[in-house]
Amino acid sequence: MSMNYYRKLLKRSERGQAIVLIIFAFVGLVAMVGLVTDTGLVLIEYGKLKRSVDAAAIAAAQEYRPDPDTGDLNVAMMENAAGNMLRLNQTENVSNITVATCEDAADVRPTLCNPDPVGNPVNNRKLVEVTANAEVPLAFLKVLGIRSVTLNASAVGEAATIDLVLVIDTSGSMAYETDGNLASSPGDNPEACNAADNCEPLRRVKDVALEFVDSLIYFGYDRVSVIAMTGQTPGADRDPVEVLPLTFSRDGILYSIDTLKVFQPHRCDLDLEEGESPAPGECLLFIDNNFERAFCHIYEQYGNDYWADPSSCPSSNIGGTLKLAQHALSGSGDENNQRPESLWVVVVLASGPANSTDATEAYPFGFCPPNTWLLSQQQDPWCRDPYPSTRHSADDPLVLYTNPHPDYDQEPFLISLYDAEDYARDMADNLAAMKTGTGVTIYTIGLGNQIQSPPRGNGFQIIPNEPPPAEFLLEYIAEEAGNTLNPNINHGNYFFAPTSQTLRNIFDIIARNIATKISQ
């Protein structure tokens, strides 16, 4: 064979090797392109999955509430919220969705739990971990037999714990419906209805409040404080009282609400020695051992037209209850019991306008301007002027006042116009702005038709262009208080309840409103 034959044979062999090399090179190129492309696809899908899981964890945390039937953590609602959020954001191939909390993950995920929940429950946190898988189909790597990869992502969401202060009106008007009427009558004896636990509308208010707490509060994580507008023992004074500081105890919370009493002052001592003045404060008037009505003996012994000081008698100290709410949220004197990271909520139920305040050294029976003492001059209760739209400061200059009573012959004198409404607004401002950030969220409920009664002046005539005093105050407390001190306050809402029967729907709305805030 000639050399030319071997040369041709060698050239054919080299051409075959080149084809093989090109094929391998092409496969490698496809693999490299596929690796880069599919890696980018996987990273995009992982980012999408991670964002979806983050959103799902927040959605699940928002449902960190008790089951209304069992009182246990409503895991089904949390799983449903997480699944819906994942399907909304990650529409394909999501699987193995799990929701874990400290309640069921103490051994597996200790980071979700407070290491000392009994000894230091203030550190309990509502942590929810959501985990999910996503199957990602590949494009180019299929040529190498790799058709898909499974991604896994997890995220921890946290709902704010709740520190809730319930302020309940326990003044005498909370017994005015006991005998079926809507005004004070001899059938509304607080001594009798407190003993029978059937003072109305207080009994219905307590029933709805118990349902509200049981449906909203997850005991062990959330806390409740209970404040009564008046003293809670027979013969007690009218001052508001912190019945229960913020506590985790379900039994303690429900008991404190269930045992609230209508204000029950002492019985009037009508058998006074000559020249002896009755004791200050409201009393219960009995004639022939039959209850007649609540009575301001120290004032009414002279008749309604006489200029006497009634400031010890009214008992709707709304400002004082708001001051106690601030005390409760501050830890009731123990700063270690304060939880700045919690959602601070105050719910106030009142049946009328403010007409009393806390005592001071200068005003031992609270702020009650003398121009409000003569009922013949105004229809509105003592200690509050008939112009709700006006507001005074305790530091305002004194004004000259002339007593219009014909039997009063003293010279005009200086008085302060600062009254119970002004005090309530000031206490509301302090409460709403006491927390940095979004402040304290306050909800107010006005119960009964007195809430929308218009103000009246001389001759008992309605004062035009003036709003109802009680409603105007409660709207301010819920929707405006604290704005000048903290412009970022997340306000609550005011609700009007013409009867106690409408309270259940209002408390449901408040519970849903609070639930939307617990992920903040």
Side-chain angles (χ1 to χ4, degrees):
M1 295 184 182
S2 65
M3 293 296 295
N4 289 332
Y5 172 80
Y6 286 108
R7 291 192 185 98
K8 291 178 181 179
L9 183 62
L10 183 59
K11 288 179 180 179
R12 290 195 197 99
S13 176
E14 289 174 350
R15 283 198 296 270
Q17 292 175 2
I19 292 173
V20 173
L21 291 174
I22 290 172
I23 291 173
F24 277 111
F26 181 75
V27 171
L29 180 61
V30 170
M32 292 296 294
V33 172
L35 183 62
V36 173
T37 303
D38 285 342
T39 299
L41 177 63
V42 169
L43 289 175
I44 291 172
E45 289 298 318
Y46 179 78
K48 184 177 178 181
L49 176 64
K50 187 65 172 69
R51 288 191 297 273
S52 299
V53 171
D54 288 344
I58 294 175
Q62 287 180 314
E63 302 298 332
Y64 208 113
R65 298 197 298 275
D67 185 301
D69 296 324
T70 66
D72 297 327
L73 184 63
N74 200 332
V75 178
M77 289 180 60
M78 298 168 67
E79 291 175 342
N80 185 58
N84 288 340
M85 186 61 68
L86 280 165
R87 285 184 284 273
L88 178 66
N89 291 280
Q90 186 85 20
T91 57
E92 297 179 355
N93 304 320
V94 179
S95 62
N96 296 331
I97 303 171
T98 62
V99 175
T101 68
C102 180
E103 300 295 316
D104 59 5
D107 295 331
V108 181
R109 300 173 184 87
T111 55
L112 299 179
C113 300
N114 175 8
D116 186 15
V118 176
N120 194 21
V122 173
N123 288 336
N124 289 346
R125 299 170 63 187
K126 295 179 178 177
L127 299 175
V128 182
E129 183 180 65
V130 174
T131 303
N133 295 340
E135 195 76 15
V136 180
L138 301 177
F140 288 94
L141 291 181
K142 289 179 180 179
V143 300
L144 300 180
I146 306 175
R147 298 187 174 277
S148 65
V149 296
T150 300
L151 302 178
N152 176 275
S154 64
V156 175
E158 180 173 9
T161 51
I162 300 173
D163 279 347
L164 169 67
V165 179
L166 276 179
V167 176
I168 305 294
D169 190 344
T170 55
S171 62
S173 62
M174 295 303 285
Y176 283 1
E177 298 176 21
T178 303
D179 68 352
N181 297 318
L182 298 181
S184 178
S185 64
D188 300 330
N189 179 8
E191 285 187 354
C193 69
N194 276 334
D197 193 22
N198 65 350
C199 297
E200 294 292 357
L202 181 61
R203 181 63 261 177
R204 287 196 292 273
V205 168
K206 294 193 294 184
D207 289 341
V208 176
L210 290 169
E211 294 176 11
F212 170 69
V213 168
D214 242 349
S215 66
L216 174 68
I217 298 302
Y218 189 53
F219 299 100
Y221 293 83
D222 301 326
R223 301 186 298 178
V224 176
S225 171
V226 180
I227 292 173
M229 190 173 288
T230 57
Q232 289 295 287
T233 57
D237 61 37
R238 62 177 179 168
D239 293 338
V241 58
E242 184 182 70
V243 177
L244 184 74
L246 284 169
T247 182
F248 295 99
S249 169
R250 179 179 185 273
D251 291 343
I253 294 167
L254 300 184
Y255 177 82
S256 295
I257 296 172
D258 193 47
T259 56
L260 288 173
K261 306 292 185 184
V262 169
F263 180 43
Q264 185 178 322
H266 64 278
R267 290 192 177 199
C268 302
D269 183 5
L270 300 180
D271 298 326
L272 299 175
E273 299 291 336
E274 184 176 352
E276 183 182 358
S277 295
E282 187 176 75
C283 59
L284 301 180
L285 177 61
F286 285 77
I287 298 178
D288 296 329
N289 209 35
N290 294 315
F291 175 72
E292 289 291 319
R293 60 188 173 94
F295 194 62
C296 186
H297 196 188
I298 196 170
Y299 180 89
E300 295 185 55
Q301 67 171 337
Y302 302 110
N304 288 345
D305 288 334
Y306 190 84
W307 192 75
D309 182 358
S311 59
S312 63
C313 289
S315 58
S316 292
N317 186 354
I318 295 178
T321 65
L322 300 179
K323 187 175 181 180
L324 281 183
Q326 183 175 354
H327 178 255
L329 291 171
S330 299
S332 297
D334 181 2
E335 62 180 15
N336 295 322
N337 201 35
Q338 189 181 58
R339 296 198 300 183
E341 73 282 357
S342 294
L343 177 65
W344 290 2
V345 180
V346 178
V347 177
V348 179
L349 187 143
S351 61
N355 58 23
S356 70
T357 77
D358 296 321
T360 69
E361 184 175 352
Y363 299 94
F365 296 120
F367 299 100
C368 189
N371 64 316
T372 70
W373 293 2
L374 278 171
L375 289 183
S376 63
Q377 300 300 312
Q378 64 171 51
Q379 175 65 28
D380 282 324
W382 298 306
C383 309
R384 189 189 73 241
D385 72 54
Y387 299 94
S389 63
T390 62
R391 183 170 179 179
H392 309 97
S393 168
D395 297 326
D396 285 346
L398 302 181
V399 299
L400 196 65
Y401 174 69
T402 300
N403 187 343
H405 196 278
D407 294 337
Y408 191 86
D409 58 1
Q410 293 184 16
E411 294 295 321
F413 56 96
L414 293 173
I415 66 170
S416 169
L417 296 181
Y418 188 70
D419 60 26
E421 281 187 335
D422 301 321
Y423 181 76
R425 289 187 178 91
D426 286 347
M427 294 304 103
D429 287 340
N430 293 340
L431 170 64
M434 70 177 289
K435 184 181 180 184
T436 58
T438 57
V440 179
T441 304
I442 308 174
Y443 299 90
T444 56
I445 304 171
L447 176 62
N449 292 326
Q450 186 181 359
I451 295 297
Q452 294 188 335
S453 296
R456 298 177 185 271
N458 291 352
F460 307 150
Q461 298 298 310
I462 294 176
I463 298 177
N465 303 318
E466 285 291 328
E471 190 161 73
F472 188 69
L473 174 60
L474 294 177
E475 285 178 341
Y476 177 86
I477 293 170
E479 300 171 6
E480 299 180 46
N483 281 344
T484 58
L485 302 176
N486 180 359
N488 299 314
I489 288 175
N490 189 349
H491 287 290
N493 300 98
Y494 159 74
F495 301 91
F496 172 57
T499 69
S500 57
Q501 305 291 351
T502 59
L503 282 175
R504 185 167 283 101
N505 289 338
I506 292 174
F507 273 106
D508 286 343
I509 294 171
I510 293 175
R512 290 196 297 270
N513 199 315
I514 293 173
T516 64
K517 301 175 185 291
I518 62 176
S519 63
Q520 295 178 354

